[in-house]
Amino acid sequence: MAIRCVASRRTLAGLKETSSRLIGFRGIQTFTLPDLPYDYGALEPAISGEIMQIHHQKHHQTYVTNYNNALEQLDQAVSKGDASAVVKLQSAIKFNGAGHVNHSIFWKNLAPVKEGGGEPPKGSLGSAIDTHFGSLEGLVKKMSAEGAAVQGSGWVWLGLDKELKKLVVDTTANQDPLVTKGGSLVPLVGIDVWEHAYYLQYKNVRPEYLKNVWKVINWKYASEIYEKECN
Amino acid sequence: MMTVAVTAISSPLLLHSQGPNRQLLQWKRNEKRRLPTKVAGSGVITAGFELKPPPYSLDALEPHMSRETLDYHWGKHYRTYIENLNKQIVGTDLDALSLEEVVLLSYNRGNMLPAFNNAAQAWNHEFFWESIQPGGGGKPTGELLRLIERDFGSFEEFLERFKSAAASNFGSGWTWLAYKANRLEVANAVNPLPKEEDKKLVIVKTPNAVNPLVWDYSPLLTIDTWEHAYYLDFENRRAEYINTFMEKLVSWETVNTRLEAAMVRATQREQEGTYTEEEANPDDEEPEVYLDSDIDVSEVD
């Protein structure tokens, strides 16, 4: 980091940290595709290995690549004081940046069965779900129905409203993050209902995908986030 | 967006509904396909839209668009829109209308009624099947080519912009070539002094089910960029799908026919209609005339 002010762009280009890269004098942090904590085929039969591979290596990678490109262009535009260029870049930044963030959460929301995927939540999250939705089944039914009803592309979320201290189910369009539905919302579980998330396996039958995805939902991770936010 | 136009020639339906949409229809009355109304034993009348097959067999677009894709796209997605639409509108005011009428009414100035999604998607898909053909591609000719060159500089420039629009339409949606007669760029207000140059070709991106009929444009060509349209054949590679669409599938003949009809309609409305200024409607979605070509969403390479 200390070389920042002295080194030229070319010498900096060789530097690599685990998830960031220095560009130019200001050292803009860019992003890399996070590894999946399980094999592509490990979520079968709920989600096919073919889908997991394309979803991770193509779709998520593209969000990361395009987000980095947009950030580089933004950096240049900001340095030059080019306000129109800055504004023009906003939609690409929002879309690709949020796509990266959402998918990074999604991979952690999933786990192979033998690593606890599908196991109902215990502890404080389990009780909160029973309180707010009657039962886990009640929550699952609601999220599946709302996910199926999303027109076009989007996500269905279980979130925690940090301020009101209650659980919330909501949907967002395209790659809009949950926080666009409420500033104090923290995502606990997000389910991708873009067609690319299920099409090769379930074709047009999104409800069937939503029925099966619960078998690999990683409630342990959701509980961790919940407990952290509640304390 | 809405005009009240009185025409003496043929009598397209003027909608006398309660709602604000009294708009001259673009598609002939006889394009509405209805099942004969049936009176069941209980006295309930049922009617509905029928599936419209594409003007070619489901495998005729191979290898550019697979039979498997058409089996799902036409046989499941489109069928579901039609079936669900029929269930939604049976017994309601929308029941006796043509598909285009249902689309326009249910758009409801941007505050869409529940039937809009199914109706517009049904319409969009029918328009899409007819926008392509086996042995398609190539270049447009005649008046269509002249207008493309006039409004985009060249065919190559048009192609570049159309493909970039389709590639950068984030999420689900459609990209259109449309003929925009006598409409200003601002909130779809009517141009009070329309000239020939104001009747322009435009490229428009729309989200989800929206289509340019709702802004009183005449659609000429569309490409479906919902993932289901290309995922089985191209996976995430939307740009490749778009290239294939333009090089091997697009039916310029159909686009030309639609343009001719659109131009006739525009002239008719000028001659007979009295354009009235509609009150500005801040709820209308602005059409996005695409300009940016830098960022591609679907290709990794």
Side-chain angles (χ1 to χ4, degrees):
Chain A
M1 288 294 201
I3 16 173
R4 195 185 313 176
C5 298
V6 181
S8 73
R9 211 180 172 157
R10 245 179 309 152
T11 49
L12 283 174
L15 279 167
K16 263 200 170 345
E17 295 179 8
T18 41
S19 67
S20 70
R21 194 158 59 91
L22 295 172
I23 298 180
F25 289 127
R26 291 223 303 275
I28 284 250
Q29 172 124 350
T30 56
F31 298 84
T32 55
L33 183 67
D35 286 330
L36 289 191
Y38 38 78
D39 290 336
Y40 289 131
L43 303 180
E44 291 191 351
I47 306 179
S48 73
E50 189 188 17
I51 287 183
M52 289 306 294
Q53 179 163 5
I54 298 173
H55 204 173
H56 181 246
Q57 281 183 1
K58 308 278 178 169
H59 290 274
H60 190 173
Q61 178 65 68
T62 300
Y63 289 127
V64 170
T65 303
N66 289 345
Y67 184 42
N68 287 338
N69 289 340
L71 287 177
E72 253 185 77
Q73 290 177 53
L74 178 69
D75 187 43
Q76 285 166 28
V78 168
S79 309
K80 286 193 284 188
D82 186 346
S84 322
V86 168
V87 170
K88 200 170 149 190
L89 284 163
Q90 295 311 304
S91 78
I93 287 173
K94 178 186 176 188
F95 179 68
N96 291 295
H100 168 54
V101 168
N102 290 342
H103 284 84
S104 301
I105 296 172
F106 187 50
W107 309 136
K108 296 190 211 157
N109 281 153
L110 302 169
V113 170
K114 64 181 187 336
E115 281 162 45
E119 252 175 52
K122 307 177 198 35
S124 52
L125 178 58
S127 323
I129 287 174
D130 289 341
T131 305
H132 286 108
F133 303 102
S135 61
L136 181 61
E137 275 115 40
L139 169 64
V140 164
K141 199 161 154 207
K142 185 175 169 70
M143 278 183 78
S144 299
E146 296 205 14
V150 169
Q151 284 173 13
S153 310
W155 293 73
V156 60
W157 303 93
L158 171 68
L160 166 67
D161 187 324
K162 274 191 303 196
E163 262 163 49
L164 301 178
K165 301 259 188 277
K166 56 180 225 157
L167 293 177
V168 148
V169 168
D170 209 341
T171 59
T172 56
N174 298 338
Q175 292 300 345
D176 292 353
L178 182 59
V179 76
T180 57
K181 286 299 196 79
S184 52
L185 292 176
V186 175
L188 301 175
V189 176
I191 300 178
D192 190 348
V193 294
W194 281 62
E195 286 172 328
H196 65 238
Y198 59 88
Y199 206 78
L200 294 177
Q201 186 178 354
Y202 294 95
K203 308 293 191 314
N204 60 307
V205 194
R206 192 194 283 175
E208 195 62 23
Y209 158 67
L210 287 168
K211 208 170 84 176
N212 283 291
V213 76
W214 296 104
K215 299 176 187 162
V216 288
I217 290 293
N218 182 5
W219 288 107
K220 278 191 270 193
Y221 172 74
S223 289
E224 275 165 35
I225 305 291
Y226 180 78
E227 278 156 27
K228 195 176 82 176
E229 293 292 339
C230 281
N231 298 330
Chain B
M1 160 186 136
M2 260 62 72
T3 60
V4 177
V6 179
T7 174
I9 293 190
S10 52
S11 43
L13 182 74
L14 273 182
L15 304 175
H16 295 290
S17 62
Q18 254 35 3
N21 296 21
R22 296 167 65 202
Q23 185 167 340
L24 194 65
L25 292 177
Q26 302 197 25
W27 311 103
K28 295 197 190 55
R29 261 327 231 135
N30 63 16
E31 280 200 17
K32 178 180 78 162
R33 302 145 290 107
R34 306 308 305 268
L35 290 172
T37 56
K38 297 182 279 233
V39 183
S42 60
V44 171
I45 297 180
T46 63
F49 293 104
E50 281 173 7
L51 260 93
K52 199 175 175 189
Y56 39 77
S57 61
L58 296 183
D59 60 0
L61 301 177
E62 296 259 11
H64 312 299
M65 187 178 282
S66 67
R67 196 228 157 91
E68 196 193 7
T69 291
L70 266 300
D71 278 341
Y72 284 102
H73 201 179
W74 183 88
K76 308 270 180 179
H77 291 273
Y78 165 62
R79 182 190 304 269
T80 302
Y81 289 126
I82 292 274
E83 286 173 357
N84 287 347
L85 176 64
N86 287 340
K87 282 186 231 165
Q88 259 176 331
I89 65 174
V90 69
T92 71
D93 284 349
L94 297 173
D95 200 356
L97 305 176
S98 74
L99 189 54
E100 185 185 344
E101 288 162 347
V102 178
V103 171
L104 294 173
L105 270 177
S106 59
Y107 181 69
N108 195 31
R109 291 171 167 250
N111 195 8
M112 283 86 106
L113 305 179
F116 178 76
N117 190 57
N118 289 319
Q121 282 293 81
W123 192 94
N124 295 341
H125 282 90
E126 289 177 8
F127 194 81
F128 177 61
W129 315 130
E130 288 161 15
S131 295
I132 54 183
Q133 64 173 72
K139 277 182 76 154
T141 55
E143 184 67 4
L144 174 58
L145 180 60
R146 187 185 78 78
L147 285 182
I148 285 177
E149 288 172 344
R150 184 195 73 179
D151 293 334
F152 298 104
S154 66
F155 176 65
E156 287 68 35
E157 180 64 27
F158 155 74
L159 210 56
E160 158 85 27
R161 291 214 237 163
F162 186 83
K163 293 202 283 188
S164 289
S168 65
N169 198 0
F170 300 149
S172 306
W174 303 75
T175 294
W176 307 81
L177 174 65
Y179 182 69
K180 180 177 91 148
N182 305 316
R183 293 276 153 211
L184 296 176
E185 305 273 344
V186 182
N188 307 302
V190 179
N191 186 340
L193 294 173
K195 303 196 292 284
E196 271 313 301
E197 307 90 79
D198 295 325
K199 297 178 198 163
K200 291 198 306 195
L201 295 178
V202 291
I203 294 169
V204 189
K205 304 196 280 194
T206 59
N208 295 347
V210 179
N211 66 40
L213 284 179
V214 306
W215 303 311
D216 201 31
Y217 294 3
S218 295
L220 303 178
L221 168 66
T222 195
I223 179 172
D224 186 351
T225 56
W226 283 62
E227 286 175 326
H228 65 239
Y230 58 91
Y231 214 81
L232 296 178
D233 294 336
F234 295 95
E235 291 166 358
N236 65 305
R237 302 183 306 278
R238 193 197 280 190
E240 211 182 299
Y241 157 66
I242 295 167
N243 281 338
T244 302
F245 179 90
M246 295 311 290
E247 285 164 25
K248 309 285 187 188
L249 291 171
V250 64
S251 171
W252 287 117
E253 204 183 299
T254 305
V255 178
N256 204 43
T257 307
R258 290 164 173 169
L259 174 66
E260 283 169 10
M263 289 166 72
V264 164
R265 209 156 41 232
T267 310
Q268 257 182 348
R269 291 168 78 177
E270 262 168 67
Q271 284 166 359
E272 285 117 24
T274 313
Y275 286 109
T276 59
E277 280 288 341
E278 297 294 321
E279 72 268 23
N281 181 2
D283 293 331
D284 263 1
E285 288 173 68
E286 293 275 34
E288 273 181 271
V289 179
Y290 144 79
L291 292 170
D292 184 2
S293 64
D294 292 335
I295 297 177
D296 174 78
V297 289
S298 58
E299 287 261 355
V300 176
D301 303 324

